[in-house]
Amino acid sequence: MNRHVSDWFYDVMSRRLIVALEDMGVTELIVDRRRHTFLQGESAESVTNKLRELNLVSYHFGSMTEGTTTPGLGSDIDTLSFEEDVNIMFEWPEWKRGRHNLLMVKHETCSPQHYRLLEARRDLPLPLTQPYDEFCFTDVDGKIYRSNKRAEALSWKLCADNNLPLIKTGPSVSWSDMFDFVLAYRCNRLPTECDSWFTRPRRVNWPTPEMIQTARELGCFLVPHGHWDSEHSSVEWRVSPSLIERHLMFSMTIIHIHCYVTLKLLKKYIINPYLGLSGEISSFHCKTALFYAREQLESSIWTVNNLFHCIIHCLKLLRRWAKNGHCPHYIMDTVNLFDGKLNPEQRGNLHTILTIIIDNHLAPLAFIESDNLGVRLLHKFYTLAIRDITPRRAVNQGITGFLSVNCNYRQMVLVRQILHDAADYTAGDLCLYLLSKITQLPLQQIQRHYSEETLCQIDAVNKTLLIRHLNQYLASTAASICLQHGINMGERIWTLYSIALNTDVASTKLKLASMLYCKGDFQLAADVLENVEHRYDNKVQAMCGCGRMDTFEHKPHETFAMALNEEDYDVFALDRVAYCVPFLRQEAFCVPPILHYEMVRAVGDDIHRRHTSEREWMNWAVVDSRPFLHYLQYLTFRGLGHRHRQIQAFLSLGVSIKDGLLHDQLFHLETAVHLYAHCLEMENRPDLALRLYLASLEAIPRNNAANWHIRRLLA
């Protein structure tokens, strides 16, 4: 192709590709929102772990956190956690009394990037002489090293206990294709393998001196994964500079992100299918090419009209590495990323497909169906029907809705886990437990480096939200004790309720209204319910943190996604979400009596048939906000003698259950049906109520309170 024609073609196609990628949700706005959302989740998990005294700090890595994905790529969430009480040493003077100390040893059998971890005594800076658990490996020379099989063994037990599949990929373990979990150790220093990266000459000013200095402070992780060709892989730990790599990715501009996403699309839909089942390259190979290209090409080249040139430069790097048989790790260049991934024949095939893509000027992009990329690229050049292609605005709204739902879901799950830790406490002990957690929470400090200031700010936000959530349970439990014993509620309980009111649109206010109804303050309850009904419009997204809401498959409803403010964006969108309403057994006197049956829903061996997530909440009464709103209205207006409004609430409750458009907003349908059936009982229609209870039991035969309602009616 003539050079001038080539430049014109690359300019035009670069711009078309950028438009297509932006139509697919790869914009600066969405990238920033993805990053903020998953950093929020990372912080929430670490704060909660600290509060639960688990000594774990979590980090999120990969495409979701970087913002380098599209809906069609189906990226998973990579979580790495490390134990704070483990001290990794390079030398014996770094030993710390009372800690679990491990000395990094470059054993003669270790390959580059791999170390053994020598077990040390807790009382003296000396090697351990006697193994203390099954994960201590004694070598032929009598030295005791730490095995890397502990996380895998713990995962096997967890999955076996809960009848879950175990998926193991490299150092990660999981029970879902959408999540990867790694339990690692953090090292505050970098090993010698990284030294050359800091000192090697560079053609351009990237990474900047400031970035390099920050990278020195971030340290690395030791992940439980031995070298693929080692006879002693079970006692080897791989050095992973994941925080440095994330730091570098966060410095990339949107053009770099466009380049990387395109490489990943080519990898997934063109390159790996060509290589077949025998071998494949990973996103990390693509990221490595991006890092080297960013370091080699001047910033002036990374422009809108040069995107094709930048992508081809990355592909040429991969092709050269395939030819040489060595793909150098960006931070530790002596490490070959092809080792254990591609044999010589497969590298030859990789060289061939990369040559085809380069020589055809990225034409294979037009054949990628994911997110309609090919059609988006070509429709301006040809007359193509594009009516079925989701427009950019809708794509961005869908992603934003997904991010908000995911963030709120995670918050609900973490609160649920904290409450589950105190499941067997008496009401009084639960109050003391919650009060201690609320008091401790502002003092909890997560291990952060000075370069992680953003995470420190997010920690503060998460602590504030967590305090609100815990206050609602403290207020309701304390109120339940007062109602049980006929004690007047003090000002403190009302203050706790007021602190907790802004967790979402409805759930905490509904708990307040429920308490007021049980207390007999019908008019106050009606006022609270009126406020909830006024705010609960069609832009509110129902949420459930009980495991019945698949945040990857559940599509947020359109009006909610549209309502999220594009300029003043808050990932939690607390004025647009309505959580389900859980009542612990310790809150029983703040709950309408019919819901007590939900707290004892197991019959026979039902309790042993529960999914792992269900075990944390099935001894509670949990109901979706909208049906509970109308049920409380029915009871309250009945107590006030407002028959017309009582019937109106009854009809609204029926609509919330029967309307098919609202079904994706119901996650505890059987409980909502039970509330409606109870209203039928109060309307003197026990025959219809019995039918509903029987239908509920037919749909959900186990762990269903309908068993008790049927026996009650037939008694």
Side-chain angles (χ1 to χ4, degrees):
M1 185 183 290
N2 180 281
R3 179 170 180 177
H4 294 296
V5 175
S6 172
D7 289 344
W8 171 84
F9 176 76
Y10 278 16
D11 186 349
V12 171
M13 290 307 298
S14 293
R15 295 175 186 275
R16 286 299 310 137
L17 179 57
I18 287 173
V19 171
L21 290 169
E22 289 180 343
D23 288 345
M24 294 157 58
V26 190
T27 66
E28 287 188 74
L29 179 68
I30 295 299
V31 168
D32 287 344
R33 287 182 177 178
R34 285 188 186 276
R35 290 178 179 179
H36 182 78
T37 298
F38 287 96
L39 288 177
Q40 193 90 35
E42 174 181 300
S43 164
E45 289 176 29
S46 294
V47 168
T48 305
N49 287 337
K50 191 78 172 178
L51 195 65
R52 298 177 68 199
E53 301 177 1
L54 296 180
N55 289 319
L56 287 176
V57 176
S58 296
Y59 283 93
H60 289 324
F61 296 111
S63 303
M64 286 291 203
T65 307
E66 296 165 356
T68 55
T69 188
T70 69
L73 277 173
S75 302
D76 57 12
I77 299 175
D78 299 321
T79 301
L80 182 148
S81 298
F82 69 92
E83 299 170 90
E84 282 190 286
D85 62 347
V86 176
N87 178 43
I88 301 297
M89 307 177 291
F90 279 90
E91 301 170 319
W92 284 108
E94 298 172 1
W95 179 89
K96 295 181 181 179
R97 181 176 296 276
R99 300 277 294 277
H100 183 186
N101 294 279
L102 295 166
L103 179 69
M104 291 177 64
V105 175
K106 179 60 81 172
H107 194 271
E108 60 184 10
T109 62
C110 290
S111 303
Q113 198 184 359
H114 289 84
Y115 283 80
R116 289 191 182 188
L117 295 177
L118 182 69
E119 292 275 9
R121 291 171 55 173
R122 288 179 180 259
D123 58 339
L124 290 171
L126 295 171
L128 193 70
T129 55
Q130 292 293 329
Y132 60 88
D133 66 15
E134 67 270 32
F135 303 110
C136 290
F137 172 81
T138 305
D139 202 357
V140 291
D141 57 5
K143 293 181 179 178
I144 299 175
Y145 297 99
R146 193 68 179 157
S147 166
N148 60 30
K149 296 299 182 181
R150 176 169 168 259
E152 184 178 347
L154 292 174
S155 300
W156 272 113
K157 184 178 186 307
L158 177 65
C159 291
D161 290 346
N162 295 285
N163 196 28
L164 295 171
L166 180 68
I167 303 168
K168 189 174 188 314
T169 308
S172 71
V173 290
S174 179
W175 44 89
S176 167
D177 290 332
M178 297 312 300
F179 299 93
D180 280 335
F181 299 97
V182 175
L183 184 60
Y185 296 130
R186 183 162 184 175
C187 181
N188 291 324
R189 291 170 55 188
L190 292 165
T192 55
E193 285 95 330
C194 301
D195 289 348
S196 63
W197 182 73
F198 291 97
T199 57
R200 72 174 178 235
R202 293 177 170 87
R203 291 174 53 188
V204 301
N205 189 30
W206 189 91
T208 64
E210 294 77 15
M211 291 172 63
I212 291 175
Q213 179 57 37
T214 297
R216 287 185 185 276
E217 301 291 332
L218 290 175
C220 63
F221 295 105
L222 296 172
V223 300
H225 194 241
H227 191 268
W228 67 278
D229 196 31
S230 172
E231 295 181 2
H232 306 281
S233 62
S234 64
V235 289
E236 293 180 349
W237 296 76
R238 190 178 75 198
V239 174
S240 174
S242 304
L243 280 174
I244 297 177
E245 291 156 4
R246 189 174 80 172
H247 177 60
L248 296 175
M249 285 303 301
F250 280 7
S251 76
M252 299 290 184
T253 69
I254 192 62
I255 295 299
H256 303 120
I257 300 300
H258 286 154
C259 177
Y260 181 41
V261 171
T262 305
L263 291 174
K264 292 206 295 184
L265 287 164
L266 286 168
K267 180 265 300 182
K268 182 172 183 177
Y269 297 107
I270 303 297
I271 297 173
N272 283 345
Y274 179 87
L275 295 178
L277 298 176
S278 59
E280 62 179 23
I281 63 170
S282 68
S283 295
F284 194 68
H285 291 106
C286 299
K287 183 183 292 185
T288 301
L290 175 69
F291 283 154
Y292 277 104
R294 178 68 182 90
E295 183 179 297
Q296 294 168 1
L297 300 178
E298 295 285 350
S299 296
S300 59
I301 295 177
W302 293 94
T303 58
V304 170
N305 59 315
N306 276 333
L307 178 59
F308 258 48
H309 286 289
C310 296
I311 295 168
I312 288 175
H313 183 86
C314 292
L315 294 174
K316 286 181 177 178
L317 285 174
L318 285 169
R319 184 174 65 174
R320 187 173 76 222
W321 296 334
K323 181 179 180 179
N324 296 338
H326 184 85
C327 176
H329 191 290
Y330 181 64
I331 308 293
M332 298 169 282
D333 53 14
T334 58
V335 175
N336 184 3
L337 296 178
F338 284 152
D339 279 353
K341 298 289 184 181
L342 297 174
N343 60 34
E345 180 183 353
Q346 293 162 348
R347 292 197 299 270
N349 293 337
L350 175 61
H351 186 279
T352 300
I353 185 59
L354 290 172
T355 300
I356 292 171
I357 296 171
I358 294 167
D359 290 351
N360 285 278
H361 312 287
L362 306 186
L365 287 172
F367 297 95
I368 295 178
E369 298 180 0
S370 176
D371 299 291
N372 299 116
L373 173 61
V375 176
R376 293 184 191 277
L377 279 173
L378 297 176
H379 81 267
K380 290 251 176 166
F381 294 96
Y382 303 96
T383 305
L384 297 173
I386 59 169
R387 287 175 298 177
D388 295 332
I389 297 179
T390 308
R392 179 186 301 188
R393 181 179 180 83
V395 170
N396 289 346
Q397 287 173 349
I399 294 171
T400 301
F402 159 76
L403 295 174
S404 182
V405 165
N406 187 279
C407 209
N408 280 283
Y409 175 80
R410 187 186 295 111
Q411 189 80 13
M412 296 172 73
V413 169
L414 294 173
V415 171
R416 186 186 79 205
Q417 292 172 345
I418 293 171
L419 296 170
H420 181 65
D421 290 344
D424 298 327
Y425 286 19
T426 64
D429 287 342
L430 178 61
C431 286
L432 294 174
Y433 169 80
L434 292 172
L435 184 60
S436 70
K437 295 302 178 187
I438 292 167
T439 305
Q440 294 172 21
L441 196 50
L443 305 177
Q444 301 293 341
Q445 296 298 318
I446 310 302
Q447 183 175 321
R448 304 289 187 206
H449 290 256
Y450 79 91
S451 57
E452 298 174 83
E453 293 176 3
T454 301
L455 277 173
C456 294
Q457 296 168 1
I458 294 175
D459 286 348
V461 172
N462 279 318
K463 289 177 182 179
T464 299
L465 290 173
L466 200 50
I467 285 173
R468 289 184 199 168
H469 281 286
L470 296 182
N471 265 296
Q472 72 167 288
Y473 291 96
L474 176 57
S476 187
T477 304
S480 180
I481 294 173
C482 292
L483 291 176
Q484 179 183 8
H485 299 288
I487 304 171
N488 288 330
M489 294 184 194
E491 188 66 28
R492 180 68 184 279
I493 291 178
W494 299 106
T495 301
L496 293 174
Y497 271 115
S498 66
I499 293 172
L501 285 181
N502 293 323
T503 55
D504 66 322
V505 167
S507 66
T508 306
K509 294 182 178 67
L510 291 175
K511 295 188 84 163
L512 172 61
S514 180
M515 181 274 290
L516 291 169
Y517 167 77
C518 294
K519 186 173 179 287
D521 288 340
F522 298 143
Q523 188 55 57
L524 280 176
D527 292 342
V528 174
L529 293 171
E530 184 178 0
N531 176 270
V532 174
E533 186 174 35
H534 176 72
R535 299 181 66 197
Y536 205 135
D537 56 26
N538 66 348
K539 297 176 182 177
V540 172
Q541 172 72 41
M543 290 288 307
C544 174
C546 299
R548 290 187 168 183
M549 181 180 192
D550 188 329
T551 56
F552 288 94
E553 296 296 331
H554 184 85
K555 185 178 180 181
H557 65 80
E558 187 176 346
T559 51
F560 164 71
M562 291 176 62
L564 294 179
N565 192 314
E566 293 190 3
E567 295 180 1
D568 189 22
Y569 174 68
D570 174 15
V571 66
F572 285 105
L574 297 178
D575 60 340
R576 290 291 164 211
V577 294
Y579 298 158
C580 59
V581 189
F583 287 98
L584 314 182
R585 288 183 174 183
Q586 295 90 333
E587 303 172 80
F589 291 89
C590 290
V591 187
I594 200 68
L595 283 173
H596 292 176
Y597 291 96
E598 303 292 329
M599 299 178 180
V600 287
R601 66 186 80 200
V603 175
D605 67 342
D606 284 359
I607 198 168
H608 302 297
R609 304 296 186 97
R610 293 175 178 175
H611 186 273
T612 179
S613 62
E614 293 175 334
R615 295 176 188 178
E616 293 183 349
W617 63 267
M618 272 204 166
N619 289 332
W620 307 344
V622 188
V623 58
D624 294 298
S625 283
R626 187 185 288 275
F628 191 46
L629 163 65
H630 299 312
Y631 177 71
L632 283 178
Q633 286 177 324
Y634 180 90
L635 295 180
T636 302
F637 293 136
R638 183 172 184 256
L640 289 170
H642 296 170
R643 179 61 179 168
H644 173 72
R645 300 193 69 182
Q646 179 189 356
I647 293 300
Q648 189 177 38
F650 174 66
L651 295 174
S652 296
L653 176 57
V655 169
S656 70
I657 296 171
K658 299 173 187 176
D659 190 338
L661 295 176
L662 295 176
H663 266 205
D664 67 344
Q665 299 285 296
L666 290 178
F667 305 98
H668 298 274
L669 178 59
E670 78 279 18
T671 305
V673 168
H674 300 164
L675 297 182
Y676 185 63
H678 185 236
C679 290
L680 285 170
E681 290 184 57
M682 290 183 280
E683 290 293 318
N684 199 29
R685 295 302 306 273
D687 53 331
L688 290 179
L690 181 59
R691 269 201 236 165
L692 285 178
Y693 291 135
L694 289 168
S696 172
L697 191 60
E698 183 179 359
I700 305 177
R702 293 189 175 275
N703 292 297
N704 192 339
N707 277 298
W708 303 112
H709 295 306
I710 293 167
R711 296 181 189 189
R712 178 174 54 82
L713 280 180
L714 295 178

